[in-house]
Every structure is written in C-alpha cells, then in structure tokens.
Amino acid sequence: VFLSHPSAFHEFRVQMAERLSVRLRTLHDGLRLLRERGVPVDAVEPQGTLYLSARFPLGGAVAGRTLHSNEDVRRLLLEEAGVAVVPFQAFGVTGEDGWCRLSVGAASPSAIEHGLARLETALLPAGAVRTPSS
C-alpha cells in the first residue's frame, strides 16, 4: 500500500537518506578525530549508502593482543569496544590489511558517538592518555 503512494514513498526516501548521511558523517568525523588524537585508524570519505570503510591497525599489540589478521581486529573491536565490523574478506577481498566495513543502518548518532569513545579506549596506543574531550 505504501509503495502505491509515490509522494509518501519519495518523502520517506528523502528523510531516510538525510538520516543516513548524518550518521555516516558522525562516524567518519569521529574516526578522523580519533586519528588526530593518535588512535591508529583511517577511514574513507562516505560515499553514500549506509556503510563506511575503515582501516584498523595490524601488526602491533593493542589491548594486550597482537593483531595479525582482519579477524583479530574484528574480535578485538567486538570484545573490547562492543563495535561490530565486517572484514573486507567477507566481500571477496584477499589479504590482511585491516580494512573493514561498518554499518550505520541501525545506529543512532548517539550510539555512534558512544561506540567511538569505546573504540578510542580500546585502540589507544600503550601509554597514551585519553583527552578530556573524549
């Protein structure tokens, strides 16, 4: 029934795209800020949809764990920060490079901000201190 009302469907799509854009921007800006604070993370500028590609550290020790693979990163982020990511291998990419996808589809801007704070705590290099604005 909803699809048979083009104007209502169009308005819903516009609102959905706006909400997703806010969430993607919140996540990307937050990851960029973490990088500026010394957290070893990188992210690609949002390209639309509801996913963001981000790269997490490999080869070093984080939270007492040595990260050798994307699976190690996935487990660390889930277990230490409560943040779920999907390593690029799930999309057919080979190699271990720390690249993962994060979805903002079911997360509010507030939940994203809380997740970013947990990521900062989990990924801070040994000896680093969180900034007061964290």
Side-chain angles (χ1 to χ4, degrees):
V1 172
F2 179 64
L3 295 176
S4 66
H5 293 87
S7 62
F9 181 70
H10 174 73
E11 181 60 28
F12 169 77
R13 298 258 338 240
V14 167
Q15 289 176 11
M16 180 180 67
E18 289 172 4
R19 290 190 303 267
L20 286 172
S21 178
V22 166
R23 294 184 293 214
L24 283 168
R25 177 65 35 217
T26 299
L27 180 57
H28 183 262
D29 291 350
L31 291 173
R32 189 179 65 230
L33 182 59
L34 293 184
R35 183 176 177 86
E36 291 171 7
R37 292 180 182 161
V39 176
V41 64
D42 198 6
V44 175
E45 187 77 24
Q47 304 292 313
T49 69
L50 53 105
Y51 299 105
L52 184 79
S53 296
R55 186 169 154 193
F56 298 94
L58 283 182
V62 177
R65 302 179 190 199
T66 302
L67 304 178
H68 297 290
S69 68
N70 289 3
E71 176 61 15
D72 293 340
V73 169
R74 185 199 66 78
R75 287 190 123 160
L76 171 89
L77 298 179
L78 184 60
E79 293 170 1
E80 299 293 329
V83 173
V85 301
V86 179
F88 273 18
Q89 281 88 355
F91 307 103
V93 175
T94 59
E96 300 293 342
D97 55 10
W99 281 102
C100 299
R101 262 187 163 178
L102 294 89
S103 172
V104 298
S108 68
S110 176
I112 293 167
E113 290 169 357
H114 286 97
L116 287 163
R118 294 189 309 271
L119 280 174
E120 182 175 21
T121 299
L123 295 173
L124 270 175
V129 178
R130 285 186 70 185
T131 61
S133 61
S134 303

